[in-house]
Amino acid sequence: MTTTDSPLDPAPRSDWRAHRARAAQMTVETVRADSTGALVRVEGELDMATAAPLWAVLQGHLAVGRRFLRLDVRGLRFLDATALTGITAVHRDALSARGTLILTGVQSVVGRVLSLTGLDDVLFIGGPRADDDIPLVDDLVAAGV
């Protein structure tokens, strides 16, 4: 028996699979880190299927004592309830460590979801930029500030 595409399918299955593979892509990168903080950038679609690497990176920074985290979400095209739950959990973990998680680069898609869920009143949201021009603590100490 062979599988054929039904005329009711919106796209051939091969196209659907290719679309789903592209949609599931998410990248996470630590842009900068010092002894007390880190700037992490995430891009793509953040959902149940893609979230684990981001949580590993953020929890890893907290585990080594980096309490002041900035998460640049400017490149996110989508986030789901799993993403919101994870971001909120990291936020609580940072607060418990006497630190902060600040979301930066919040654009319309992410901002709308945060607003609809009320998390814009719970999470710390920075300005529109990624704050990669703001020095971390070690940079200030080295500069004698």
Side-chain angles (χ1 to χ4, degrees):
M1 179 176 169
T2 61
T3 304
T4 60
D5 296 324
S6 160
L8 299 176
D9 285 344
R13 287 198 173 104
S14 60
D15 291 344
W16 177 83
R17 286 187 185 115
H19 169 72
R20 186 65 195 139
R22 283 191 305 274
Q25 292 178 356
M26 188 271 307
T27 60
V28 59
E29 170 189 17
T30 296
V31 177
R32 291 187 330 181
D34 67 14
S35 62
T36 61
L39 170 62
V40 176
R41 182 173 296 137
V42 61
E43 296 179 349
E45 298 196 3
L46 187 57
D47 58 24
M48 183 172 23
T50 63
L54 177 60
W55 309 146
V57 168
L58 293 173
Q59 291 296 339
H61 285 303
L62 289 173
V64 297
R66 294 185 185 111
R67 308 177 290 138
F68 304 104
L69 305 177
R70 291 185 175 275
L71 180 59
D72 178 3
V73 297
R74 164 185 14 192
L76 281 183
R77 297 182 306 271
F78 173 81
L79 72 161
D80 70 359
T82 302
L84 296 174
T85 301
I87 290 170
T88 304
V90 173
H91 168 75
R92 282 193 309 263
D93 291 347
L95 290 175
S96 294
R98 299 183 142 222
T100 57
L101 171 67
I102 299 175
L103 301 182
T104 63
V106 174
Q107 303 287 329
S108 60
V109 171
V110 175
R112 181 163 166 75
V113 171
L114 294 175
S115 177
L116 288 171
T117 59
L119 288 174
D120 58 341
D121 290 331
V122 174
L123 300 172
F124 299 136
I125 301 174
R129 64 176 197 238
D131 295 324
D132 36 359
D133 59 334
I134 295 176
L136 295 171
V137 172
D138 284 354
D139 297 336
L140 294 172
V141 171
V145 176

